[in-house]
Amino acid sequence: MILKGEIAMAGKTGNILALYAVLYRCTDEDHPLTMREIQDKMVDMGYNCSEDTILRHMRLLREWDVKVEGSMGRNAKYYLGNRLLKKEELKLIVDAINASNFIGREIAAEMVQKLKELLSENQRDYLDRNVLGMVNNKTENQKILDNVDKIQEACDKKVPISFTYMKWNKDLELVPKSDKAEIVNPWSLIWTDDRYYLYAIKNKCGKLVERHYRVDKMTDIKLLKDQTREGMVKVREICPNTYVSRRMGMFTGDERKITVAASEEMVGPIIDQFGKNIKVCANPDKTDKSNELLIEFYAVPSIILLGWLIGLGDVEVIGPKEVKEDMIDLLKKTSAKYDRQG
């Protein structure tokens, strides 16, 4: 049996929730409502409250840390002053979602729509503007969030995973890279270059090696719950603060100390890529201002790194010897291609 007091309490709770819903959905600092407007909107929801009742409910909301702001006087207006996130903060999140390559268009649109619910109806259009050039190369994989969830679950449970890794073919279709499933030990998700990568350890012919995989190119992920994850010793060797910057293009391999001769103008781009943990000194063998400095930094000497150094312009690889030889070989091969073209 429901007592009268319980009915009254249920009605009071409903009135308070209706008032909060009106303030949350319809008001903000730039769009306050008068008491009459609040009452009308509550009536539309099926709740009829006097002005005194609404004022009491506002006091209760304030006691529950809901910041109901209001002006004074006969024509007082009210609005909700505190929200989980400000519209400027939400705009940054929305821009990041729209800019992210790994979040597909449909998923991004759905996420943005949910974020809009955190603002008043009057502010939601603020999140609709696009930043130029953001969504030209969105992923085709609409199960990306499921992939992230499964990988994280595998990391939490410390188990290996199997999956099919995809590649683009000449018909611009994603197809399996191999007819065999990849089996790896997942250790971490890495966000870099606007994409998610899986950092994993793979057992290759009895040797544990690092591997990176684009999460948006992974399908059919399965947790191998009857197996134990490997690679703890290997993972302990990495430095989280420098790992990504030293592996341009997410190439795996051993880090080397790279020395280049360059001008002072090249210090900035190198710091931007590798951080301030570099060494700069005068070049004792300088011939002109373009190679007046020796700059040392640590990186994986991949083809991406060599191409990046070429793109800087007046930068000469000094060492190690093998990296310098790789650079010379790359330049010769590239030059030969253009020579053949006349």
Side-chain angles (χ1 to χ4, degrees):
M1 181 178 178
I2 300 177
L3 301 177
K4 290 183 179 179
E6 292 174 322
I7 295 174
M9 180 59 69
K12 180 179 179 181
T13 302
N15 287 334
I16 294 175
L17 291 175
L19 171 61
Y20 180 75
V22 168
L23 293 170
Y24 189 93
R25 188 178 67 248
C26 305
T27 73
D28 56 67
E29 186 174 357
D30 298 320
H31 303 90
L33 294 179
T34 64
M35 182 62 70
R36 182 73 263 169
E37 290 170 331
I38 292 173
Q39 289 175 309
D40 289 344
K41 290 185 180 296
M42 290 183 67
V43 168
D44 291 341
M45 298 173 64
Y47 297 90
N48 194 347
C49 290
S50 68
E51 181 175 337
D52 288 342
T53 299
I54 290 176
L55 290 173
R56 284 200 304 273
H57 291 342
M58 285 182 177
R59 285 195 292 271
L60 277 173
L61 287 173
R62 292 186 183 108
E63 290 178 9
W64 297 335
D65 296 324
V66 177
K67 195 174 181 182
V68 181
E69 302 285 6
S71 56
M72 303 295 290
R74 189 168 184 175
N75 298 315
K77 292 186 176 183
Y78 305 89
Y79 66 93
L80 187 65
N82 59 336
R83 293 181 181 271
L84 183 63
L85 292 167
K86 297 177 182 178
K87 65 178 184 179
E88 295 81 5
E89 295 170 328
L90 284 168
K91 186 58 200 162
L92 290 176
I93 296 172
V94 168
D95 285 349
I97 291 171
N98 286 331
S100 173
N101 291 327
F102 92 92
I103 303 176
R105 286 184 176 84
E106 292 181 14
I107 296 174
E110 184 179 341
M111 293 175 69
V112 170
Q113 197 59 42
K114 291 176 181 177
L115 289 171
K116 284 185 176 183
E117 298 296 324
L118 297 176
L119 294 177
S120 73
E121 292 175 344
N122 304 294
Q123 293 178 322
R124 291 173 188 174
D125 289 346
Y126 177 79
L127 299 183
D128 284 338
R129 73 173 175 85
N130 287 323
V131 175
L132 294 177
M134 279 193 165
V135 294
N136 292 331
N137 53 347
K138 286 283 195 180
T139 179
E140 301 290 327
N141 188 348
Q142 296 303 322
K143 294 185 177 180
I144 183 71
L145 298 184
D146 290 337
N147 285 357
V148 171
D149 186 57
K150 288 180 180 178
I151 291 169
Q152 192 58 58
E153 182 184 356
C155 290
D156 293 340
K157 293 181 177 179
K158 301 180 175 60
V159 297
I161 60 172
S162 68
F163 59 93
T164 300
Y165 202 49
M166 310 295 283
K167 67 174 183 177
W168 291 102
N169 67 8
K170 60 183 177 61
D171 298 317
L172 306 184
E173 298 171 332
L174 277 173
V175 297
K177 191 172 183 179
S178 170
D179 57 358
K180 294 183 180 179
E182 289 275 349
I183 298 177
V184 301
N185 302 280
W187 280 92
S188 181
L189 286 164
I190 298 173
W191 177 294
T192 183
D193 298 328
D194 292 324
R195 297 191 186 280
Y196 254 136
Y197 290 84
L198 165 64
Y199 170 79
I201 301 296
K202 183 174 181 178
N203 191 325
K204 189 175 181 180
C205 302
K207 182 180 179 181
L208 297 180
V209 294
E210 292 180 337
R211 286 291 182 265
H212 302 125
Y213 301 90
R214 285 255 304 266
V215 175
D216 59 309
K217 289 188 176 181
M218 298 168 65
T219 62
D220 302 322
I221 299 175
K222 296 181 177 64
L223 276 66
L224 307 180
K225 297 181 180 180
D226 59 338
Q227 300 182 31
T228 303
R229 184 176 64 177
E230 297 180 290
M232 173 63 78
V233 175
K234 190 76 175 175
V235 172
R236 283 175 177 165
E237 296 174 0
I238 73 170
C239 175
N241 294 331
T242 60
Y243 186 83
V244 173
S245 64
R246 294 179 178 181
R247 286 159 174 77
M248 300 180 70
M250 293 306 292
F251 270 75
T252 53
D254 295 330
E255 294 178 8
R256 303 291 302 276
K257 182 172 75 172
I258 313 293
T259 304
V260 298
S263 66
E264 186 175 359
E265 285 71 23
M266 296 298 106
V267 173
I270 291 174
I271 287 177
D272 290 342
Q273 176 61 42
F274 301 105
K276 294 180 69 175
N277 190 26
I278 65 173
K279 183 179 178 181
V280 182
C281 62
N283 181 4
D285 300 322
K286 70 176 181 177
T287 56
D288 54 46
K289 198 170 180 63
S290 67
N291 66 351
E292 64 181 338
L293 299 176
L294 290 180
I295 306 174
E296 294 180 356
F297 57 89
Y298 284 86
V300 174
S302 65
I303 189 72
I304 299 294
L305 173 66
L306 299 181
W308 181 76
L309 290 172
I310 292 172
L312 289 181
D314 287 331
V315 173
E316 178 188 354
V317 176
I318 302 300
K321 181 181 178 182
E322 315 89 78
V323 177
K324 182 172 184 176
E325 289 174 349
D326 287 343
M327 175 64 89
I328 294 170
D329 187 51
L330 174 62
L331 291 170
K332 285 180 177 179
K333 288 180 178 178
T334 303
S335 177
K337 287 181 183 294
Y338 287 98
D339 289 342
R340 287 198 299 269
Q341 295 173 12

